[in-house]
Amino acid sequence: MKLRHGLMAAAAAAAISVAAPAANAETFKFAFQGNLSSLDPHSLNESFLLNTLGNIYEGLSMYDENLGIVPGLAESWETIEPTKWKFNLRKGVKFHNGNDFTAQDVVFSWKRALTEGSDQKVRASKIKAIEVVDDHTIIVETPAPNPILTSDLVFVYIMDKEWSEKNKATEATSPSADNTNNYANLNANGTGPYRVVEHKADIKSTFEKNANYWKKTNSNVTKVEFTPIKEAATRVAALISGELDLVYPVPVQDWKRLDEAKGVKALAGPEARTIFLGMDQGRDELLYSNIKGKNPFKDIRVRQAFAHALNLDAIKKKVMRGAATPSGLMVAPQINGHNAEINIPYAYDPKKAKALLTEAGYPDGFEVTMDCPNNRYVNDEKICQAAVSMLAKVGVKVDLLAQPKSKYFGKVLAQGGYDTSFYLLGWTPGTMDSENVLSTLLSCQNKETKAGGFNLGNYCNPKVDELARKVGSETDQAKRNAMIKEAFSIVKAEYGYLPLHQQPLSWGVSDRVTVNQRADNGLDFRYVNVNK
Amino acid sequence: MVSFLFKRLIQSVIVMFTVALIAFTMFQFVGDPINNMVGQDTTQEERDALRERLGLNDPIPVQFGNFVLKAAQGDFGRSYKYQVPVSELIFDRMPATLELAFVSAILALVIGIPLGVYTALRRSGILSKFIMTMSLVGVSLPPFLIGILLILIFGVVLRWLPTFGRGDVIEFTSWSTGFLTASGLKSLILPSITLALFQMTLIMRLVRAEMLEVLRTDFVKFARARGLPDRLVNFKHALKNTLVPVITITGLQLGSLIAFAIITESVFQWPGMGLLFIQAVSDVDIPIMAAYLVLIAFFFVLINMIVDVLYYAVDPRLRSDDE
């Protein structure tokens, strides 16, 4: 009899513990400065969109809370040949509409990500072919050996084939007028931990917990509400007034206000984005300078002088309110291939800078125009202003052209013909691996191989190019990291770029909730908890 | 009357055409839309292909021509950012803006006219002087600042009213209204005051000036000489005669209320057309910007036309000229 009572008590306790989360429906409300412009996972390759949709859709692999790669819709994987990977898909996973997740959905999603309107073509093209072995096993063939395939696949989200076909959404949503397949633009059906209840692109989106999610999550949040709030002051006010639980980004200068207010705090972890200055080293004459007939930046002494003229600690203290991590490397500590040894910044030494400039033949310095965005990175224009005044101290007169990002990028990027002599840019490798930085920022501009696409100043060293290519296909991690280190060391010794710092993330969080601030500015609902 | 309307109609078309032309010339200076439409990993070839598909490589006159041709058929294209038809987006946001403008206009009239009358009648009273000073503040403070101040006081410190958004709305087929829910009405208070403040002071000062003018005229003096009570003289004779210009100004200002709601909407994250436009400017979403500007021009033209027709009805002299 006693035993039976005990059992019943245990059963009752179990029932209560199961029912408890449902009984306290917890709503989590957050705001971001931009919109969730589409629900189509292949429409736009933008970090907020992909990170937010990551709560609804999932890829074969996914990020954990520290940006580590963990199995997602694939339970496990192995490389059977350098260019062939076997993925074992997770069994028993259902889409939000109840359909089963199978190998056909993977093939369909991969093909969809390659359709005209898709902005995920770069990631999807890392796959050459998919062979379906059975419903839950596939063999993926890559065009070349790819050691970081699973990093590339994090954001290739898997959609339901049947649902997409039924709703005529078999192609990615595109702004070109002939595309009318926009059902997936305003509706979603993923496998993720949350499902979309309501979505109005620039007004409000509501999500609720997916009760049939394949993995148990620790979050007690049953409903999530997202509102875009454009004005920073309004975002901060909405947080302090208690209407919202999380807002981001918060202006750095508002941190003090949040600390003084009750019940809220600023969350300022490091972001995986590196801010740096680049110099035109490709042209024989600078486009924007008073020096004619030659390009001062081709002289290593001038680049070195610039490096020693910049006081990164002062930028950290005065401009970033202490919340930046000065850097000597083009990648952040979260990125695979980061090396603490090379990361020591160039020393601040204006005297040496002046001497180097004199030695290079510019005792009175020279004039150059600097391009800078004013609404893209944390305090971007202020950083540029600081750099201008630091360079002025060693005699270089910098003309600052700070513009909104739409204007700035239109000028300095490839479509503007790399129309710049000296610029500020920020970069987070989408794969969280150094290879992306080596091939897009540090390789010579090359139209055929498409390398160096964002190497705006065309820093060019064939040795680095070769290393970058090898890193792209080397599957031995130790060898690969040694090559990454070698490439970074060369760039550093040649003063190819002037890294400044990793900027801080800046979230405002209510004490009512705990959240995980991922270094790519991603908000994963699975790690949000409402405190009791 | 018919020929008058017809003339007006032709003028309206020309105005809207000109607005569209100026808008299109301006878009060349806003920046490049492509970078806001693709991620950093997108290749240059894809960027170029997208630009070609969107027709952004065509010469400006061709782009403008295409726009006018399609707009004439009611097709404003698809938003670059949201990838849905622009007309859908704008009609979806219109109720929010119109409700806000409507409430602000009522507020401005209901508060502005009595204050104007009062300050005209009690010119040297202390309260009048105080009101006049405050109205200067209302005219000179930018709406952005007023909005933020109101948010801080009533939203953050007192926590009486919501700091952003429109609250819960009730959807009808093509109209969403915030008038029918408690949170919708509460959300309306701060933005409508912010938006109304400028118009309120304007109307107040206008009524005051007109009243002072009318009070000096002979027929008011006669009315007083006839021994009519003050109340009748002031409100029946004087106020009535000041209202004609007030109606005109209010009508015209309704257009500016809709147009200048942009700032108020962005401070309060009010999901109206203005917010849509401001967002479109930073995204370089050309189809939205073009459609919005043409629509606002249409509103102005329409309101002007209605005001003219009202004049026509009110002022008999205009009618006799025509016949």
Side-chain angles (χ1 to χ4, degrees), chain A residues 35 44-45 119 122 173 176 179 185 202 228-231 234 240 243 414-415 428 454, chain B residues 29 32 35 37-42 44 53 78 82-83 93 159 163 266-267 269 278:
Chain A
N35 300 321
L44 179 66
N45 183 6
D119 199 22
V122 173
T173 309
S176 30
N179 184 317
N185 187 25
D202 65 337
I229 300 186
K230 192 177 154 55
E231 292 296 335
T234 312
I240 299 180
E243 284 166 272
Q415 74 262 32
T428 314
F454 287 83
Chain B
F29 303 101
D32 183 42
N35 281 309
M37 300 169 67
V38 297
Q40 64 180 23
D41 301 322
T42 309
Q44 190 56 36
R53 285 208 302 279
R78 295 159 67 87
Y82 306 110
Q83 318 190 338
R93 306 300 182 264
R159 304 203 177 184
T163 54
S266 71
V267 173
Q269 191 65 27
I278 263 287

mmCIF file of all heavy atoms in Angstrom, chain A residues 35 44-45 119 122 173 176 179 185 202 228-231 234 240 243 414-415 428 454, chain B residues 29 32 35 37-42 44 53 78 82-83 93 159 163 266-267 269 278:
data_model
loop_
_atom_site.group_PDB
_atom_site.id
_atom_site.type_symbol
_atom_site.label_atom_id
_atom_site.label_comp_id
_atom_site.label_asym_id
_atom_site.label_seq_id
_atom_site.Cartn_x
_atom_site.Cartn_y
_atom_site.Cartn_z
ATOM 1 N N ASN A 35 14.143 45.300 -39.806
ATOM 2 C CA ASN A 35 12.972 44.454 -39.990
ATOM 3 C C ASN A 35 13.351 43.011 -40.246
ATOM 4 O O ASN A 35 14.439 42.722 -40.708
ATOM 5 C CB ASN A 35 12.206 44.899 -41.227
ATOM 6 C CG ASN A 35 11.743 46.306 -41.107
ATOM 7 O OD1 ASN A 35 11.327 46.717 -40.039
ATOM 8 N ND2 ASN A 35 11.824 47.051 -42.184
ATOM 9 N N LEU A 44 17.396 36.321 -48.523
ATOM 10 C CA LEU A 44 18.393 37.350 -48.278
ATOM 11 C C LEU A 44 19.444 36.821 -47.315
ATOM 12 O O LEU A 44 19.125 36.260 -46.279
ATOM 13 C CB LEU A 44 17.715 38.598 -47.685
ATOM 14 C CG LEU A 44 18.644 39.756 -47.346
ATOM 15 C CD1 LEU A 44 19.263 40.328 -48.603
ATOM 16 C CD2 LEU A 44 17.872 40.843 -46.621
ATOM 17 N N ASN A 45 20.692 37.020 -47.688
ATOM 18 C CA ASN A 45 21.802 36.556 -46.865
ATOM 19 C C ASN A 45 22.192 37.675 -45.908
ATOM 20 O O ASN A 45 23.175 38.362 -46.106
ATOM 21 C CB ASN A 45 22.957 36.187 -47.803
ATOM 22 C CG ASN A 45 24.136 35.633 -47.061
ATOM 23 O OD1 ASN A 45 24.076 35.407 -45.856
ATOM 24 N ND2 ASN A 45 25.219 35.418 -47.775
ATOM 25 N N ASP A 119 19.694 34.169 -52.434
ATOM 26 C CA ASP A 119 20.932 34.846 -52.045
ATOM 27 C C ASP A 119 21.819 33.874 -51.262
ATOM 28 O O ASP A 119 22.750 34.272 -50.586
ATOM 29 C CB ASP A 119 20.592 36.085 -51.207
ATOM 30 C CG ASP A 119 21.759 37.067 -51.158
ATOM 31 O OD1 ASP A 119 22.624 37.010 -52.057
ATOM 32 O OD2 ASP A 119 21.807 37.877 -50.221
ATOM 33 N N VAL A 122 25.958 31.082 -52.949
ATOM 34 C CA VAL A 122 27.363 30.827 -52.620
ATOM 35 C C VAL A 122 27.474 29.619 -51.696
ATOM 36 O O VAL A 122 28.292 28.721 -51.898
ATOM 37 C CB VAL A 122 27.999 32.073 -51.984
ATOM 38 C CG1 VAL A 122 29.393 31.761 -51.478
ATOM 39 C CG2 VAL A 122 28.061 33.200 -53.005
ATOM 40 N N THR A 173 12.188 33.462 -53.087
ATOM 41 C CA THR A 173 11.541 34.752 -53.293
ATOM 42 C C THR A 173 12.546 35.746 -53.838
ATOM 43 O O THR A 173 13.674 35.798 -53.369
ATOM 44 C CB THR A 173 11.021 35.284 -51.955
ATOM 45 O OG1 THR A 173 10.259 34.271 -51.343
ATOM 46 C CG2 THR A 173 10.172 36.508 -52.169
ATOM 47 N N SER A 176 12.676 40.612 -58.245
ATOM 48 C CA SER A 176 12.419 40.885 -59.661
ATOM 49 C C SER A 176 10.967 40.562 -59.963
ATOM 50 O O SER A 176 10.403 39.585 -59.488
ATOM 51 C CB SER A 176 13.371 40.102 -60.554
ATOM 52 O OG SER A 176 13.745 38.901 -59.948
ATOM 53 N N ASN A 179 8.724 37.191 -60.539
ATOM 54 C CA ASN A 179 8.623 36.119 -59.557
ATOM 55 C C ASN A 179 7.394 36.333 -58.695
ATOM 56 O O ASN A 179 7.279 37.306 -57.967
ATOM 57 C CB ASN A 179 9.885 36.117 -58.690
ATOM 58 C CG ASN A 179 9.892 34.976 -57.717
ATOM 59 O OD1 ASN A 179 8.878 34.687 -57.093
ATOM 60 N ND2 ASN A 179 11.020 34.344 -57.571
ATOM 61 N N ASN A 185 7.497 33.740 -48.580
ATOM 62 C CA ASN A 185 7.964 35.043 -48.130
ATOM 63 C C ASN A 185 7.210 35.474 -46.877
ATOM 64 O O ASN A 185 7.744 36.140 -46.002
ATOM 65 C CB ASN A 185 7.730 36.052 -49.271
ATOM 66 C CG ASN A 185 8.320 37.411 -48.984
ATOM 67 O OD1 ASN A 185 9.262 37.535 -48.209
ATOM 68 N ND2 ASN A 185 7.762 38.430 -49.599
ATOM 69 N N ASP A 202 7.132 44.604 -41.358
ATOM 70 C CA ASP A 202 7.819 45.661 -40.624
ATOM 71 C C ASP A 202 7.006 46.129 -39.425
ATOM 72 O O ASP A 202 7.223 47.200 -38.913
ATOM 73 C CB ASP A 202 8.140 46.835 -41.555
ATOM 74 C CG ASP A 202 6.876 47.490 -42.054
ATOM 75 O OD1 ASP A 202 5.839 46.805 -42.049
ATOM 76 O OD2 ASP A 202 6.914 48.664 -42.431
ATOM 77 N N PRO A 228 10.156 45.495 -34.811
ATOM 78 C CA PRO A 228 11.290 46.331 -35.207
ATOM 79 C C PRO A 228 11.076 47.738 -34.665
ATOM 80 O O PRO A 228 9.964 48.265 -34.742
ATOM 81 C CB PRO A 228 11.212 46.328 -36.736
ATOM 82 C CG PRO A 228 9.800 46.001 -37.060
ATOM 83 C CD PRO A 228 9.200 45.282 -35.901
ATOM 84 N N ILE A 229 12.097 48.319 -34.050
ATOM 85 C CA ILE A 229 12.012 49.726 -33.633
ATOM 86 C C ILE A 229 13.229 50.437 -34.184
ATOM 87 O O ILE A 229 14.357 50.159 -33.795
ATOM 88 C CB ILE A 229 11.943 49.882 -32.099
ATOM 89 C CG1 ILE A 229 10.704 49.172 -31.554
ATOM 90 C CG2 ILE A 229 11.909 51.359 -31.722
ATOM 91 C CD1 ILE A 229 10.468 49.391 -30.082
ATOM 92 N N LYS A 230 12.971 51.372 -35.086
ATOM 93 C CA LYS A 230 14.054 51.999 -35.830
ATOM 94 C C LYS A 230 14.860 52.985 -34.976
ATOM 95 O O LYS A 230 16.079 52.996 -35.025
ATOM 96 C CB LYS A 230 13.446 52.716 -37.032
ATOM 97 C CG LYS A 230 14.458 53.155 -38.041
ATOM 98 C CD LYS A 230 13.753 53.792 -39.226
ATOM 99 C CE LYS A 230 14.646 54.780 -39.935
ATOM 100 N NZ LYS A 230 15.916 54.226 -40.362
ATOM 101 N N GLU A 231 14.153 53.806 -34.197
ATOM 102 C CA GLU A 231 14.842 54.843 -33.440
ATOM 103 C C GLU A 231 15.473 54.269 -32.185
ATOM 104 O O GLU A 231 14.806 53.654 -31.352
ATOM 105 C CB GLU A 231 13.854 55.948 -33.025
ATOM 106 C CG GLU A 231 13.323 56.770 -34.166
ATOM 107 C CD GLU A 231 14.418 57.569 -34.864
ATOM 108 O OE1 GLU A 231 15.447 57.863 -34.226
ATOM 109 O OE2 GLU A 231 14.242 57.871 -36.053
ATOM 110 N N THR A 234 13.840 55.369 -28.876
ATOM 111 C CA THR A 234 12.567 54.700 -28.613
ATOM 112 C C THR A 234 12.796 53.273 -28.119
ATOM 113 O O THR A 234 12.111 52.801 -27.213
ATOM 114 C CB THR A 234 11.710 54.671 -29.897
ATOM 115 O OG1 THR A 234 11.697 55.965 -30.470
ATOM 116 C CG2 THR A 234 10.293 54.240 -29.609
ATOM 117 N N ILE A 240 13.414 50.342 -20.864
ATOM 118 C CA ILE A 240 13.401 50.844 -19.485
ATOM 119 C C ILE A 240 11.982 50.875 -18.933
ATOM 120 O O ILE A 240 11.751 50.601 -17.764
ATOM 121 C CB ILE A 240 14.049 52.243 -19.417
ATOM 122 C CG1 ILE A 240 15.508 52.152 -19.887
ATOM 123 C CG2 ILE A 240 14.004 52.793 -17.998
ATOM 124 C CD1 ILE A 240 16.241 53.465 -19.872
ATOM 125 N N GLU A 243 8.275 47.513 -21.219
ATOM 126 C CA GLU A 243 7.423 46.923 -22.250
ATOM 127 C C GLU A 243 8.121 45.819 -23.009
ATOM 128 O O GLU A 243 7.484 44.947 -23.577
ATOM 129 C CB GLU A 243 6.995 48.008 -23.238
ATOM 130 C CG GLU A 243 5.915 48.904 -22.695
ATOM 131 C CD GLU A 243 5.782 50.139 -23.553
ATOM 132 O OE1 GLU A 243 6.490 51.126 -23.305
ATOM 133 O OE2 GLU A 243 4.977 50.109 -24.486
ATOM 134 N N ALA A 414 33.048 46.565 -55.348
ATOM 135 C CA ALA A 414 33.352 46.235 -56.742
ATOM 136 C C ALA A 414 32.497 47.013 -57.733
ATOM 137 O O ALA A 414 32.998 47.518 -58.741
ATOM 138 C CB ALA A 414 33.184 44.731 -56.954
ATOM 139 N N GLN A 415 31.171 47.137 -57.463
ATOM 140 C CA GLN A 415 30.312 47.787 -58.461
ATOM 141 C C GLN A 415 30.646 49.259 -58.617
ATOM 142 O O GLN A 415 30.308 49.866 -59.619
ATOM 143 C CB GLN A 415 28.827 47.592 -58.135
ATOM 144 C CG GLN A 415 28.314 48.409 -56.978
ATOM 145 C CD GLN A 415 28.282 47.586 -55.704
ATOM 146 O OE1 GLN A 415 29.093 46.711 -55.504
ATOM 147 N NE2 GLN A 415 27.330 47.870 -54.845
ATOM 148 N N THR A 428 32.955 40.024 -40.640
ATOM 149 C CA THR A 428 32.779 38.780 -39.900
ATOM 150 C C THR A 428 32.719 37.670 -40.934
ATOM 151 O O THR A 428 31.846 37.701 -41.793
ATOM 152 C CB THR A 428 31.437 38.751 -39.140
ATOM 153 O OG1 THR A 428 31.265 39.985 -38.468
ATOM 154 C CG2 THR A 428 31.377 37.613 -38.150
ATOM 155 N N PHE A 454 36.514 41.521 -51.779
ATOM 156 C CA PHE A 454 36.384 42.638 -50.849
ATOM 157 C C PHE A 454 37.748 43.166 -50.423
ATOM 158 O O PHE A 454 37.875 43.837 -49.423
ATOM 159 C CB PHE A 454 35.533 42.238 -49.645
ATOM 160 C CG PHE A 454 34.090 42.118 -49.986
ATOM 161 C CD1 PHE A 454 33.582 40.955 -50.546
ATOM 162 C CD2 PHE A 454 33.227 43.184 -49.767
ATOM 163 C CE1 PHE A 454 32.244 40.853 -50.881
ATOM 164 C CE2 PHE A 454 31.888 43.093 -50.102
ATOM 165 C CZ PHE A 454 31.392 41.917 -50.655
ATOM 166 N N PHE B 29 20.750 59.807 -55.978
ATOM 167 C CA PHE B 29 21.688 60.258 -54.950
ATOM 168 C C PHE B 29 21.483 59.567 -53.621
ATOM 169 O O PHE B 29 22.171 59.848 -52.658
ATOM 170 C CB PHE B 29 21.567 61.775 -54.775
ATOM 171 C CG PHE B 29 21.799 62.534 -56.048
ATOM 172 C CD1 PHE B 29 20.744 63.025 -56.786
ATOM 173 C CD2 PHE B 29 23.089 62.705 -56.531
ATOM 174 C CE1 PHE B 29 20.959 63.696 -57.976
ATOM 175 C CE2 PHE B 29 23.312 63.367 -57.714
ATOM 176 C CZ PHE B 29 22.247 63.866 -58.442
ATOM 177 N N ASP B 32 23.069 52.973 -53.464
ATOM 178 C CA ASP B 32 22.895 51.806 -54.318
ATOM 179 C C ASP B 32 22.000 50.788 -53.633
ATOM 180 O O ASP B 32 22.311 50.344 -52.535
ATOM 181 C CB ASP B 32 24.263 51.191 -54.605
ATOM 182 C CG ASP B 32 24.141 50.028 -55.550
ATOM 183 O OD1 ASP B 32 23.381 50.151 -56.515
ATOM 184 O OD2 ASP B 32 24.782 48.993 -55.312
ATOM 185 N N ASN B 35 23.290 46.665 -52.593
ATOM 186 C CA ASN B 35 23.989 46.218 -51.383
ATOM 187 C C ASN B 35 23.062 45.907 -50.230
ATOM 188 O O ASN B 35 23.419 45.168 -49.322
ATOM 189 C CB ASN B 35 24.998 47.269 -50.942
ATOM 190 C CG ASN B 35 26.244 47.182 -51.775
ATOM 191 O OD1 ASN B 35 26.815 46.114 -51.919
ATOM 192 N ND2 ASN B 35 26.635 48.293 -52.351
ATOM 193 N N MET B 37 20.300 44.421 -50.692
ATOM 194 C CA MET B 37 19.478 43.293 -51.096
ATOM 195 C C MET B 37 20.240 41.988 -51.101
ATOM 196 O O MET B 37 19.663 40.939 -51.321
ATOM 197 C CB MET B 37 18.924 43.544 -52.505
ATOM 198 C CG MET B 37 18.063 44.789 -52.570
ATOM 199 S SD MET B 37 17.687 45.251 -54.253
ATOM 200 C CE MET B 37 16.653 43.894 -54.719
ATOM 201 N N VAL B 38 21.549 42.055 -50.933
ATOM 202 C CA VAL B 38 22.342 40.829 -50.967
ATOM 203 C C VAL B 38 23.278 40.800 -49.766
ATOM 204 O O VAL B 38 23.557 41.818 -49.153
ATOM 205 C CB VAL B 38 23.174 40.726 -52.267
ATOM 206 C CG1 VAL B 38 22.292 40.655 -53.483
ATOM 207 C CG2 VAL B 38 24.142 41.884 -52.372
ATOM 208 N N GLY B 39 23.767 39.625 -49.449
ATOM 209 C CA GLY B 39 24.712 39.476 -48.354
ATOM 210 C C GLY B 39 26.130 39.680 -48.830
ATOM 211 O O GLY B 39 26.390 39.811 -50.023
ATOM 212 N N GLN B 40 27.076 39.672 -47.874
ATOM 213 C CA GLN B 40 28.453 39.967 -48.247
ATOM 214 C C GLN B 40 29.078 38.851 -49.092
ATOM 215 O O GLN B 40 30.039 39.078 -49.807
ATOM 216 C CB GLN B 40 29.305 40.232 -47.004
ATOM 217 C CG GLN B 40 29.446 39.028 -46.079
ATOM 218 C CD GLN B 40 30.299 39.333 -44.850
ATOM 219 O OE1 GLN B 40 30.435 40.476 -44.473
ATOM 220 N NE2 GLN B 40 30.869 38.310 -44.239
ATOM 221 N N ASP B 41 28.516 37.631 -49.025
ATOM 222 C CA ASP B 41 29.103 36.529 -49.775
ATOM 223 C C ASP B 41 28.646 36.483 -51.234
ATOM 224 O O ASP B 41 29.161 35.715 -52.026
ATOM 225 C CB ASP B 41 28.737 35.182 -49.120
ATOM 226 C CG ASP B 41 29.223 35.124 -47.696
ATOM 227 O OD1 ASP B 41 30.320 35.635 -47.435
ATOM 228 O OD2 ASP B 41 28.506 34.588 -46.839
ATOM 229 N N THR B 42 27.636 37.294 -51.568
ATOM 230 C CA THR B 42 27.086 37.250 -52.922
ATOM 231 C C THR B 42 28.127 37.740 -53.941
ATOM 232 O O THR B 42 28.760 38.763 -53.735
ATOM 233 C CB THR B 42 25.833 38.135 -52.994
ATOM 234 O OG1 THR B 42 24.987 37.766 -51.914
ATOM 235 C CG2 THR B 42 25.097 37.935 -54.288
ATOM 236 N N GLN B 44 29.927 39.161 -57.418
ATOM 237 C CA GLN B 44 29.704 40.335 -58.247
ATOM 238 C C GLN B 44 28.796 40.007 -59.430
ATOM 239 O O GLN B 44 27.933 40.805 -59.793
ATOM 240 C CB GLN B 44 31.056 40.876 -58.721
ATOM 241 C CG GLN B 44 30.977 42.235 -59.383
ATOM 242 C CD GLN B 44 30.327 43.276 -58.489
ATOM 243 O OE1 GLN B 44 30.511 43.279 -57.281
ATOM 244 N NE2 GLN B 44 29.523 44.142 -59.063
ATOM 245 N N ARG B 53 18.122 42.548 -63.843
ATOM 246 C CA ARG B 53 16.734 42.081 -63.737
ATOM 247 C C ARG B 53 15.818 43.178 -63.220
ATOM 248 O O ARG B 53 14.668 43.273 -63.593
ATOM 249 C CB ARG B 53 16.648 40.883 -62.783
ATOM 250 C CG ARG B 53 17.158 39.584 -63.330
ATOM 251 C CD ARG B 53 16.449 38.400 -62.671
ATOM 252 N NE ARG B 53 16.570 38.348 -61.228
ATOM 253 C CZ ARG B 53 17.635 37.857 -60.597
ATOM 254 N NH1 ARG B 53 18.645 37.384 -61.264
ATOM 255 N NH2 ARG B 53 17.675 37.830 -59.270
ATOM 256 N N ARG B 78 7.252 46.070 -57.101
ATOM 257 C CA ARG B 78 7.417 45.309 -55.873
ATOM 258 C C ARG B 78 8.531 45.904 -55.044
ATOM 259 O O ARG B 78 9.537 46.347 -55.562
ATOM 260 C CB ARG B 78 7.769 43.857 -56.214
ATOM 261 C CG ARG B 78 6.659 43.131 -56.931
ATOM 262 C CD ARG B 78 7.228 41.941 -57.667
ATOM 263 N NE ARG B 78 7.729 40.937 -56.745
ATOM 264 C CZ ARG B 78 6.980 39.989 -56.222
ATOM 265 N NH1 ARG B 78 5.710 39.925 -56.514
ATOM 266 N NH2 ARG B 78 7.505 39.102 -55.417
ATOM 267 N N TYR B 82 10.823 43.928 -49.099
ATOM 268 C CA TYR B 82 9.806 42.995 -48.618
ATOM 269 C C TYR B 82 9.323 42.051 -49.711
ATOM 270 O O TYR B 82 8.633 41.080 -49.442
ATOM 271 C CB TYR B 82 8.616 43.751 -48.025
ATOM 272 C CG TYR B 82 9.030 44.716 -46.959
ATOM 273 C CD1 TYR B 82 8.970 46.076 -47.151
ATOM 274 C CD2 TYR B 82 9.522 44.243 -45.751
ATOM 275 C CE1 TYR B 82 9.379 46.963 -46.173
ATOM 276 C CE2 TYR B 82 9.929 45.111 -44.770
ATOM 277 C CZ TYR B 82 9.854 46.472 -44.981
ATOM 278 O OH TYR B 82 10.258 47.330 -44.013
ATOM 279 N N GLN B 83 9.624 42.386 -50.960
ATOM 280 C CA GLN B 83 9.321 41.526 -52.085
ATOM 281 C C GLN B 83 7.833 41.226 -52.229
ATOM 282 O O GLN B 83 7.433 40.123 -52.573
ATOM 283 C CB GLN B 83 10.146 40.238 -51.981
ATOM 284 C CG GLN B 83 11.559 40.587 -51.545
ATOM 285 C CD GLN B 83 12.542 39.468 -51.633
ATOM 286 O OE1 GLN B 83 12.169 38.315 -51.640
ATOM 287 N NE2 GLN B 83 13.802 39.787 -51.724
ATOM 288 N N ARG B 93 -0.599 50.087 -44.615
ATOM 289 C CA ARG B 93 -0.120 51.040 -43.606
ATOM 290 C C ARG B 93 -0.985 52.284 -43.523
ATOM 291 O O ARG B 93 -0.894 53.037 -42.572
ATOM 292 C CB ARG B 93 1.308 51.487 -43.922
ATOM 293 C CG ARG B 93 2.320 50.404 -44.115
ATOM 294 C CD ARG B 93 2.465 49.537 -42.894
ATOM 295 N NE ARG B 93 3.479 48.523 -43.106
ATOM 296 C CZ ARG B 93 3.229 47.285 -43.504
ATOM 297 N NH1 ARG B 93 1.977 46.915 -43.720
ATOM 298 N NH2 ARG B 93 4.193 46.430 -43.682
ATOM 299 N N ARG B 159 4.997 55.620 -16.525
ATOM 300 C CA ARG B 159 4.532 54.328 -17.059
ATOM 301 C C ARG B 159 3.022 54.257 -17.242
ATOM 302 O O ARG B 159 2.393 53.240 -16.981
ATOM 303 C CB ARG B 159 5.000 53.179 -16.175
ATOM 304 C CG ARG B 159 6.497 53.171 -16.012
ATOM 305 C CD ARG B 159 7.028 51.823 -15.642
ATOM 306 N NE ARG B 159 8.490 51.923 -15.577
ATOM 307 C CZ ARG B 159 9.292 50.905 -15.344
ATOM 308 N NH1 ARG B 159 8.795 49.709 -15.169
ATOM 309 N NH2 ARG B 159 10.584 51.059 -15.306
ATOM 310 N N THR B 163 5.184 53.232 -24.927
ATOM 311 C CA THR B 163 6.203 54.085 -25.537
ATOM 312 C C THR B 163 6.282 53.921 -27.053
ATOM 313 O O THR B 163 6.883 54.734 -27.717
ATOM 314 C CB THR B 163 7.593 53.750 -24.973
ATOM 315 O OG1 THR B 163 7.815 52.351 -25.142
ATOM 316 C CG2 THR B 163 7.690 54.084 -23.509
ATOM 317 N N SER B 266 8.189 57.730 -36.827
ATOM 318 C CA SER B 266 9.436 57.016 -36.566
ATOM 319 C C SER B 266 9.828 57.116 -35.098
ATOM 320 O O SER B 266 10.409 56.194 -34.557
ATOM 321 C CB SER B 266 10.551 57.457 -37.514
ATOM 322 O OG SER B 266 10.970 58.735 -37.189
ATOM 323 N N VAL B 267 9.477 58.218 -34.422
ATOM 324 C CA VAL B 267 9.788 58.294 -32.989
ATOM 325 C C VAL B 267 8.978 57.255 -32.215
ATOM 326 O O VAL B 267 9.484 56.615 -31.303
ATOM 327 C CB VAL B 267 9.491 59.705 -32.434
ATOM 328 C CG1 VAL B 267 9.637 59.729 -30.927
ATOM 329 C CG2 VAL B 267 10.425 60.716 -33.063
ATOM 330 N N GLN B 269 7.528 54.534 -33.482
ATOM 331 C CA GLN B 269 7.445 53.276 -34.215
ATOM 332 C C GLN B 269 5.984 53.002 -34.576
ATOM 333 O O GLN B 269 5.451 51.913 -34.387
ATOM 334 C CB GLN B 269 8.037 52.125 -33.385
ATOM 335 C CG GLN B 269 8.246 50.834 -34.156
ATOM 336 C CD GLN B 269 9.295 50.967 -35.255
ATOM 337 O OE1 GLN B 269 10.189 51.774 -35.188
ATOM 338 N NE2 GLN B 269 9.162 50.172 -36.298
ATOM 339 N N ILE B 278 10.390 56.108 -44.368
ATOM 340 C CA ILE B 278 11.696 56.375 -43.721
ATOM 341 C C ILE B 278 12.565 55.126 -43.787
ATOM 342 O O ILE B 278 13.766 55.170 -44.087
ATOM 343 C CB ILE B 278 11.442 56.803 -42.248
ATOM 344 C CG1 ILE B 278 11.442 58.302 -42.137
ATOM 345 C CG2 ILE B 278 12.368 56.189 -41.278
ATOM 346 C CD1 ILE B 278 12.654 59.067 -42.238
#
